[in-house]
Every structure is written in structure tokens, then in C-alpha cells.
Amino acid sequence: MGVTGRCVVEEERRVRANAREYNEKFQYASNCIKTSKYNIVTFLPVNLFEQFQEVANTYFLFLLILQLIPQISSLSWFTTIVPLVLVLTITAVKDATDDYFRHKSDNQVNNRQSQVLIGGVLQQEQWMNVRVGDIIKLENNQFVAADLLLLSSSEPHGLCYIETAELDGETNMKVRQAIPVTAELGDTSQLARFDGEVVCEPPNNKLDKFGGTLYWKESKYPLSNQNMLLRGCVLRNTEWCFGLVIFAGPDTKLMQNSGRTKFKRTSIDRLMNTLVLWIFGFLVCMGVILAIGNAIWEHEVGVCFQIYLPWDEGVHSAFFSGFLSFWSYIIILNTVVPISLYVSVEVIRLGHSYFINWDKKMYCAKRRTPAEARTTTLNEELGQVEYIFSDKTGTLTQNIMVFSKCSVNGHSYGDVQDMLGHKAELGERPEPVDFSFNPLADPRFQFWDPSLLEAVKLGDLHVHEFFRLLSLCHTVMSEEKSEGELLYKAQSPDEGALVTAARNFGFVFRSRTPKTITVHELGQAITYQLLAILDFNNIRKRMSVIVRSPEGKIRLYCKGADTILLERLHPLNQDLSSITTDHLNEYAGEGLRTLVLAYKDLEESYYKDWSERLHRVGSAPEAREDHLARLYDEVEHDMMLLGATAIEDKLQQGVPETIAILTLANIKIWVLTGDKQETAVNIGYSCKMLTDDMTEVFVVTGHTVLEVREELRKAREKMMDASHSVCNGFYQEKLSSKLTSVLEAIAGEYALVINGHSLAHALEADMEVEFLETACACKAVICCRVTPLQKAQVVELVKKYKKAVTLAIGDGANDVSMIKTAHIGVGISGQEGIQAVLASDYSFSQFKFLQRLLLVHGRWSYLRMCKFLCYFFYKNFAFTMVHFWFGFFCGFSAQTVYDQYFITLYNIVYTSLPVLAMGVFDQDVPEQRSMEYPKLYEPGQLNLLFNKREFFICIAQGIYTSILMFFIPYGVFADATRDDGAQLADYQSFAVTVATSLVIVVSVQIGLDTGFWTAINHFFIWGSLAAYFAILFTMHSDGLFRMFPHQFRFVGNAQNTLAQPTVWLTIALTAVVCIVPVVAFRFLKLDLKPELSDTVRYTQLVRKKQKTQHRCMRHAGRVGSRRSGYAFSHQEGFGELIMSGKNMRLSSLALSSFAPRPSTSWIDTLRKKKGCEGSSAGSPSGAADKTLRV
Amino acid sequence: MKNKTNVLPREGEAQPSRCPDNTAFKQQRLPAWKPQLTIASVLSSFFLTGAFCLTVGVCLVLSANSVREIQIDYSDKCSDCSKLRENSSNWNKECHCSVNFTLKENILGDVFMYYGLQNFYQNHRRYVISRSDAQLLGRNVNIQRSYCAPFSTYRNGTPMAPCGAIANSIFNDTINLFYNHNSSVIQVPLLKTGNSWWTDKNVKFRNPESYNLSSAFAGTARPPYWQKPVYLLDEEDERNNGYLNDDFIIWMRVSAFATFRNLYRRVRRVRHFTEGLPAGNYTFHISYNFPVTRFKGRKHVILSTVVWSGGSNPFLGIAYLVSGTAATLTGFVITGIHLKLRKKKTYFQRR
């Protein structure tokens, strides 16, 4: 964008706060974003310049110039200029509208308001007026306007929270902290005096790195990414903050990451351009042949004929005459590449785009967003997609975590039940559980199984302990704006879901201080002393808290991945553990994210000893991590199992079905997500990309080049081995020669999971092919923790080596580069931001619409475009080649066969509308069938309907038609006379006969090609024929001739010629001979080698109900293997932050004096009712009972 | 319930702004005819086409066979004249020759007399455009701006009337037919008007308006190869003179190919010739003016009758017969292939 425009490469950036004059020296980019291309003044010249960069347009301009030279002008100038002007106008109008919308969206972004500190006063400024070096104030939930250095915030210690979903797709909240010296600058007057100077790296696209130094008051302060707020982030849970603009507009990391806007062309476009070049070559060949013919003719015959027809002035030799005739022939034969081709293609695409926009089945009523084809030039490519690159969050998932099921003490809760207690089918849900007893409940929380609440109310100790754990063991922060109106700031939505569940079931996490957690347990406030948070990390896959209950008992609560936790249980838990494992399997099979919960009582003395050791390790600088891990490991042992939770990462509606259908349509789906591996894999399972039937799921997590290479090699070997055992070494010979094909023919189903680190290595030049081969051999590929740029690189890689059409779909700003890189970019217009949509070619609000976009719209578009192109080339060859044959009979003089008006109007009036109607409306099979038989999509991927072979067939048919079109009338006219004895074979009658039979033949042909005759098709086809005759008779009328005798020389021709039975018999014969063989071939092809679509049509015709054999959708209820998903999309170190109290406000700290021990009478009464059933259950929570009893 | 009924319509009202219309057109559900190539339709169309073509073919062949035609190449028979004409300085010397022929049987009906030229490229691009239609419409136009060059004006600036290569190269042989009846020679009465298209004679060509023709063409000169000016083309018939001369009009309608025949005269059906041309000996008396040897051309004189499908033209009839046969045969072949492969096909369907 703007960066490229500047000639001097920036080496380092110096920014001084509150010093606009100083900063202006460097001419940094302003915060104004410009994606539009023209303004009112520049539009015409720039647009025309751009249009004439198109080869086709220049070519026609060149032709026009040729036609102005009288010696070679074989056609009037208007035969070219009329279509050319038409084309240029249509394109210009379209470009103008596009640019208008870009202006609008630019303005919208540029005019967003932000508060800028100017002269010590906060002023409302538009985004585009923000300069580098300005200090701006952000408020909660505002978008960050530029890349800022955080100076201070409303939160203590200069902390602030941001959501970076727009930027990298990670949905968890992140913490940024101002450097201590600036954190104190709380009010505007202080900030206005701030004159620190930042020296930092030049603009780049690395989202997670920033290096710089702040010079202020003669001291240096290092700056890191931890101090930066990047454009595109949203400020959350922070009332306000101040930041210093470091990078603005096009220099921001968001914009740097968005890649360059490339003009996308479809593969048909490229093929078309190649073909047009070939045709051009063919045209030159014809020109050369005819020019040589002309030279010979003039030399042999023309010389003798000179008494009647002397050579033109300046022509002295046959050779020169041949040279001139070459150009003349180029002019008259140019209609093989008609200019209307390009316009028609655009019109058809526009029509298809409108159909997409109008599709009610792609309209999301909930969000009130219809689908939108933002680019109108890519439609037919939608029918050829082979690879889909999908973002996860917001695209596949709704990014809503829902506490869905749980298993407590061997009892599973959460199945939706109907009145009779049977498992209910989806769709007939009963009323959700009523939480009205609990004033603190979150009204948005829904749960469908009333038995869990009953268990709570009945005082089931295990259930109580279960929820107590959920309310204690987390790193969620709470905020209570007014009494009872609790807001949780969860670092990950999973934790939020769990704590919210506990809250609704009566265990309300109310507030926390660095040392305490206050929980309202069934109406009573109980404050636990927080002794330690054993924080989460990737290796541990668990987190624990150690709390001291008001009774003084020390207990460790732990939640974590099942694989990890189940090994750490006390041997007593064996039975329970096996039941819970069954439940876990069940949950996992449904694609839920599971966690296992456990607790452990700690002896006072043991804890004291342990905490001392912890303290020691904590202060020791070296190998702190290892020591800590060992200590944590030691204490999290011999735990008692409480149960398991299952969280549903809510998929968007219809995602698994869509993926299944797309997979059946042979489309490979890769998920590229910034999220964590576990989460991504989990989603992979729940949306059926990964299944348990898969032979193997390879996981590549290597940190070094060698590791990654080794892992990839192993994966390939395994796949090879498997296919070898299947094929008995059939592939052995081919193996060395063509690795790719072997890998693609692999028998089993494999999947590949690769994380960001490994991907970085895998994408290096020497390994990318290896990676690609491995990945493409797999049915599903999941790349996790990838940066936006890596997403684009992966797409680029596939594009580069696979020659396949790629589609990228995503919803966030982090997907923008991928969307721009892929052949087709699809934006999900979700609730979050619109960057992805703005960068996309198509947008809609639900992932499931993708199947309709591809299988219905894409397929039809492709089909229509192919049929259109075939017919178009056919009709123009049939039309033009007649001149070629005529050349041999008219002394190669470049005499046209037809009237010049016929030549002008043939492509724009007589034959354009029927083929346009076919290109816009044609349908081979009804839309439902495309969904039922996803295999119908395959011809597009394999490029079967329009390729070089098909092209040659069309051309051959066109040439065949042109031969008949010329030689049959020739045979008839050669020495025949009319029925009134007059001459028949005059040039004008011949022209009218050939033109009429041509129009009739191509109309019959389009009728044959049209498979779907709507009223519009009827109107256009019959209308074109009618128009032809109407125009013919008008042009040949007396009145026009009297007005322009030079222009309308064919006066009286139509009525004289078309009154002859011979002429009509000639036309009929031509039509029969041209069409009958085509029908024969078509029918034989249909009869002997029917395509799937033909069969579908046929079965449709005979109304045989056929079972949807191709669909093998499996429904819910399969048994899945258990996958350990420590579901937290969670960052390490949050626990530490909490314990340090850094993120606590002073106010809340003050409030959190240890509350007096609450009386537990309420809970006691409940317990007494239940008697001692609780303890007699022989549960592991016997100890817990005791602690709870006061 | 109350709430619901209140709320729903309001939502419905807010929606239409963005929700696509549910019309058949926008939802691509337009009713449509979906023709398909089925065995029944394909076979019936083939056999029908075949039958049609064969019928038409037989009719055409039969009628074409009933046409009587006599074609005489006189370019060699008048070799003296053709040699004379090769030297263009002899343009004003007259040269006559006669060609005898015998009719073995009567030619009944209307008999048309044509002159035929071979190898005369009337369809050459530069030839075709070399005319001024406005001039031929009797308008006073600057022919310098037309494509008539180099036959537009003389060096002294006198414009040619008519201008252009077509007019200049007009076929100017005079052919008369004599019937040798019982040693007496009877000139066959020939009609020289009514041979051109009505539209050409009445719309496309007009003499410039003046009190008489010669004054109408005053200030213009004849084209270089002409022996007499345009207003003397037919001194006998005022309405066949000037641009309205039928021979001129017919010549000006250029042919599509280098070999062509133009209608020259019609036999007037009077006296001996009321039935047509009786059998016997005939002589063509030709005033030989049009040189063809230069461009290796040939000249013919043709006598022919016509039927509903025009003159003798075997091509169309034969072409119809051939394509009719081909269509029928293809129909049988398709039947054969279809029957042979039916088993396979039903298997495919069942699956």
C-alpha cells in the first residue's frame, strides 16, 4: 500500500511525543487509509489507461486504427468502434461504482472518532487526522486507532486488557502494561508535558515482536511488545488508557499484515487469455495464408484483370498487395476474438453475483445479513474449488463456550431429556432448567437437565464439591457494577463457561483478592484463603489452586486434561475413574471439550513444608521453571476424582454437515487457526473433519528444522507403508519417479496436525514441497497457532504447487491476508469487525452457506460459463471462417461475405442475448440434486467442461459449420437462376442467404445447448431471430436507402432473395447438415458415456426415486476415542498475576478484608434433611464432609 | 401469545430492507422447459429429417431434370474478334461473329437468354466498392469522394457517369438470336426490359432529373471503355435508357463468384415462339466488344428454361438426397447402438 510508494526505506523510527513539527520531518504515513483508486478528476484518464492495459482493448484500438487506413480498410470503422465504446463504457461504469463503495468504506473507517491530546486538551479527531507522535485516549470497547505505545491506563500498574481477535484470531484477552515511568501519567496535563522520544524498529508485519527504546528525562527505557496496543485490537475491561501513536495508517502492523491487494483472475480467465492468444496466432496464420494467396492471385490473375480493375495507387507489386491484404484480413477476421466476449463474460458473472446476493437460502435471518458477492469476477471459480482454508474461531465455531455436560461421582448429567426421561432428539427441546431460585444467576446460561439442579438442592456433597471446585479453581476476575450484577472477565471463554455454570448452580464466585476468593455458596458468602495458584502451562495441562477453607482445612483443587489427571489419582478411585472415563469417551465422541476435576486434602505440616520450598524456588533465579514444575508435580498427586466437565465450543450451525458434504465433493479442508493445538483438534473432531475411523492423525510439533523434517518423513513413510501393504508394492516402480501421485493414491485416511513453530520450518524453501506432499496426502489438515502471514503462506504454497483453486474463509482481521491470497476469499460477516469482509470476495454470515455457494452457485456458474464459452467460440468461428473460405473465391481481396451491418450487429444483437440468457439462467440439475450428489461438483475441479480439448471441439464445430455455411450456398448459387429467370448468384443475395442461414443455425444450436428454457430464454431466442429479420428488412428498405444511399446498398435485397424457395431450401439444408451431426454426437455421448449430471437428469425425467446413495452422513451417537483436551485457550502466567495482586484495583483490595466466617446454617439444614446418605455413599469426599461441617 | 403477535409483525416489517425477495426469478426457480435428448425424440427427429430431406431431394432432382438448357462458349469461336479486342486501340472498330447451333427438340415455356462469364472477379473487394450509389440514384454528388477511383473523373476534371470499375467494365456484347426456319431466317423476338429486380429498377436507380436525358448527363463523360454515353444505351426506349437501362442495372448487381451468368434477354412468346423455341437450327449474331482473353476469361451465351426451383441446378437436389440418406442411416445406427448397449444402461440406472 502506501509503504511501497516511499522511496527511502525507513531504517529506524523516531517519534517524539506531543511534537508534531518534529515528527513531520520524517514524513511518516498518516493514519488515513486509502483503498480507492480514483477521484472524480482522475477517473476518466486513469480508468481508460487501465482499460487499455488490457490486451483485448488495445487490440481493438489497434484494429480501429487499421480500419481508418483506406487501403486496407475492408470494414467500416463503426464495426469496431461501436462494440469497443460499449465495452469501455460498461467497464467504466462498473469500476466507478466499485470505487464509489471503496470511497465510502474508507471514509467510514477514516472518519471514526478518537480523542487526541492536542495542546493539553482532549479533542475529538477523526482517525485519519491522527498523526504519529500524538497521544490519544481510548475508552473501553473502542477499537485501537493506530499502533500505540501504552502510556497509562485506568487500571493499577498501567495494565490494560485487549482483545486481539481482529488481529490474530486469538479470542482470549491479553494484558498489556505501560512501563512504570509513564504509568503514573494519569491526567491530561501530565501527559501534555510528556516529551519522551521513542526510537524503534521500522514498520513490519510481526505481530508479536516490537523492539524500541524510550528516551525520557535523560534515561532509557526498553520497550517491548508488552507495551504496545496494535491497531485492530479492542480495549476490554479497561475504562480508559492513553497511548502514543508510533505507527499509523498503512504502517500499522495490521495493515502490514494484510498483504497486497491483488487483482484476482479466475483460471477460466487465464485459460481464456491463452486461448485468445492462440486464436490470435491462428488469425495471423489465416492472414498470412490469405496474404500469400493474394500475392499469388494478383501476380497470376490480378495482373491480367487490371484493365477492369487497376491496382490502387501506390501498389506496384503483387507482394505489396499481399501485404496490404494481410492487414485487411486481420480486420475482417478479427471477429474470431470478438470484443463482446469480454463484456458478455462480465455480464454473466454480474448476473451470477446477483443470484448470490438474492439467494434467500443464504440469508441469515438472525443477523439480517444476506450473502454478498463483493467481487463479481470470480463466480465460476467457485465451481472449481479443491482446497478450502478455514479459520476456526468465528468461522467454524461461534466462539461461544457452553457448559454442556458433566459427570459427577460417576453420574452423568446434561443429556436433554423429554418428559418421559428419554433422551430427546434435537429440535424438540423442553424448557431449560429454571434458575430463578438464585438471584445471582446469569440469565443467559441455559441447561437442559434438571436432575443436576435437583442434586444440588438435595445437597449431594459430590455435586457441591464439584461446583465449589469450579468456583475456586480458575483465574477469572469478577466485577460487580451493582449489587448482584456480576461480570466475569475470563481469560478464556472455557473458564468463563465453567465459572458461570458454577454460578448458576449456586456456587457464585463473587470476588477475589490476591489472597482470598469469596464465593456465595447457595446464598452464603464464604471466603477462602487462596494459598497458591499452580498455574497452567502447556506441558502440565492442568491448573490447581490451594485454598484454606474458613474451617482451616487446606485443600488442593485441580482441573486439567483427562490423560494427565487420571494418572495422578489416588488408587482408591479406580472404579469411579473407569465410569468417568466412559463418560469422557461419550463426551469426546460428541466433540465436547473435556476437563477432569479432582481435589486433594493437604496436611497443614506438609503444606507448610511445601510452601517453604516453593518460596525458596520462587526466589532462586536459575532453573526456576524446572524446580517449580517438580514441586507442582509433587503436590498434585494421589488426588481424589470429583468428576469431569464437558464444554461445548459451539459450532456454527450446520458445520459438520457442510464439511461432510464438501468432503464428499472432493474438496479438501484445511483449518488454519491461531488457536491452540488442543482446541483446534477438538474442533476438528466435533466438526467431523477428524474422525475416529481415520487411520492415523499425525501431529507435527517439532521445534527445529530437523525435528520437523523427521516427523514429516515418518508420516510419509507410514502412509507409504500402509499403501504398500494394500497394493502389494504395486507402486514400487513409480515410487521414485512420482512421489506426489503415489501419496495421493494412498488408501487410508490420514490427517495432519501441525503447529505454528513447525509450520515456520515446514514453510522454508527447502522443505515446503515435502510438507505440501505430506499434507495433501492427508484428508484433513489442521494448522494451529499460525500467524496471519503464515496462513497466507500456506495458501500460497498450495496455490504454487498444486495448480488447484483455493478458497479461504475467515471472519477476523487475522484472516485478511489469507483471504487476499487465496483464489477466492470468503468473509464471514459475524459480529466481530468487518475487515475480513472488506477484504473478501464473498461474504455471508454462516459457514454452512459455503456448501450452497460452492455446490449450487459455484457449480452452476462454472457450468454456465463453460457452456457460454464453448458456444461463444463456436458461433464466432462459424461466423468468421466463412470469410476465409470466401477468400479463395474472391481473389483473396478481403471482401466480406456479409453486409457490414450484419458484421457489426452479429455479436452485439443477433446472437448475444440468447447465449447471455443461457449463461445466466441455465441449470443442468435442480439445486437440491447438487446437494444430494456432491460428486456433481467434480467436473469443475477437474476442469472438464471447458479446457483446451473442449475448446478445440468447439472450434472444430465452428469451422465445420462455416464450411457448410459457405459451400452449400456456393454449390447452389454457382450457376443457378431464380424462378423468374433472373440471376440468383449475385453477391448481395449470397450475403443475405449465408447470413440468414448462419443466424438460424446458431439459434438452433443455442436452443440445443440451452437445457433450461425459461420464459426469458424463449423471449431472447425467438426475439433474436425476429430482431434479425426485422433489422434485415429495415436495413434493406427503400426509405433508408434514399436517405443514405452509400450506407444501405442492400436495398430491396431481403424481399427479393427471401422470396425464393431455393434460398429457403438452401437455408434449411445448411441448418440440417450443421445440426444433425451435433445431435447425433451429443446423443451417443449421452447414451454411451453419461456424465453423472446426465444420469441425474435422466432419473429426474423418468421420476424414479433414487436413494441418495452418495450421502453417507453419520449421525450422532458414534463412540469416539477419548481425546484429552485441556480446553483452556489460556496463557501461562495469569495465576502469577493474580497472586501478585497487580491486576487488583485498590478499591477491591480494600474491600476484601477477611469476611467473618459465615454461618452455614442454610446448608446445614439442607444436609440434615438428607441425613447421612452423603457420607455413606462411600465417596472420596468423606473428608470433604468433615471439613464442611462446622 | 399477545406479546408474540405483537412482536412478530414488527420484525417482519424491519426485515425487508435486507432480506432478498422471494421471487421465482431471484431464487432461480423460474418455471422452465427442460428438453432432453431421449432416444425417442432423437430417433424420431432423425427419421423425420431423413424423410423430409429425401422428399425434398426427389422433388428437386425431378424438377431440375425438366429444365432445358443450352450453353455455348463463344470466346474461341470468335477468335478473330477476341484478338482484335486485345488491342485496346481498336476499341471503336466493330467486330461481328455468328455461332450456329441446333435444337433437337422444342424448348417449351419461357426461354431465358443469359450471358455467362468465367474468371471475371466481380466479387473482388476493390471492384465491389467501386461505384457511387448516390450518383446512380441521380443525385448530384461529388464522386471524387466515392470509391470510384480511378474511374471517377478524367484528367480535365469531367466526372464519369456512371463512375467506378463496375460500370466501366460493363458487358457490352450485343447478342441476337436467329431462327433458320425453312431457309428463311427469322429473328427471334427478345425482350430487353423487365429482366431486372423491381426494386433495382424503381428504387435503386434513377436518372438525374432534367427535361431530357442528354441534358441530364450534361457535364459528364462516358466511362473510358464505353463506346457511347450512358444516355444512349437504349435510344428506342426512354424508360430503358440512362441509369435505368436493364442491362446496366443487371451488370451493376455484382455476382458472388468469378463465374456467373446474367440474364440478358427473354424470348418473347409471339408467332413461332408462343410455345417456346421450336426445334431447328439457330444462329447467334454477336457484336463482339467485350474482351476476355486478357484475363483468361470465357464468355458463354445460354438459353434456359426455369421451374419453381429456378434454373438447372442439380446440386441442391443431390445434396438433399445425400443428407436425407445420411440422416436416416444415422437413425438406424443410433438405434443399433442403443439396443446393443441397453443392457449396460439399465444396469447403470438400477445402480
Side-chain angles (χ1 to χ4, degrees), chain A residues 385-418:
Chain A
V385 173
E386 271 184 77
Y387 288 90
I388 291 179
F389 298 91
S390 174
D391 176 41
K392 184 192 74 68
T393 319
T395 307
L396 298 176
T397 62
Q398 298 179 349
N399 199 21
I400 298 173
M401 301 294 162
V402 178
F403 178 81
S404 153
K405 289 183 182 179
C406 62
S407 159
V408 187
N409 195 25
H411 191 292
S412 174
Y413 301 94
D415 281 322
V416 183
Q417 288 174 342
D418 59 18

Side-chain angles (χ1 to χ4, degrees), chain A residues 534-535 537-544 556-574 577 581 596-602 606 610 626 628-642 1122 1126:
Chain A
L534 285 60
D535 203 3
N537 74 23
N538 261 330
I539 304 148
R540 285 163 40 77
K541 295 188 177 176
R542 61 188 184 265
M543 80 161 283
S544 307
L556 175 139
Y557 290 108
C558 181
K559 65 179 178 188
D562 42 13
T563 42
I564 306 281
L565 238 67
L566 289 175
E567 288 167 9
R568 308 182 154 269
L569 296 179
H570 198 273
L572 276 175
N573 288 302
Q574 220 157 20
S577 155
T581 308
V596 171
L597 313 182
Y599 72 93
K600 181 187 180 183
D601 286 318
L602 299 178
Y606 174 79
W610 183 84
D626 290 349
L628 272 182
R630 219 168 301 142
L631 267 180
Y632 288 172
D633 197 57
E634 182 197 312
V635 71
E636 289 164 335
H637 231 278
D638 286 340
M639 292 182 289
M640 305 301 285
L641 181 63
L642 260 179
R1122 195 173 83 242
Y1126 192 82

Side-chain angles (χ1 to χ4, degrees), chain A residues 358 864 981 1042 1065 1088, chain B residues 27-28 114 139 225 320 341:
Chain A
W358 286 333
R864 290 162 178 174
R1042 289 214 183 90
L1065 285 177
L1088 302 181
Chain B
Q27 301 307 319
Q28 306 196 57
Y114 303 87
R139 295 195 179 161
Y225 293 180
Y320 261 106
L341 291 153

Side-chain angles (χ1 to χ4, degrees), chain B residues 314-330:
Chain B
F315 176 84
L316 195 58
I318 294 168
Y320 261 106
L321 286 181
V322 170
S323 31
T325 320
T328 319
L329 281 182
T330 318

Side-chain angles (χ1 to χ4, degrees), chain B residues 9-23:
Chain B
R10 216 187 298 152
E11 269 180 2
E13 274 162 25
Q15 265 182 10
S17 57
R18 302 216 66 192
C19 180
D21 300 340
N22 190 13
T23 58

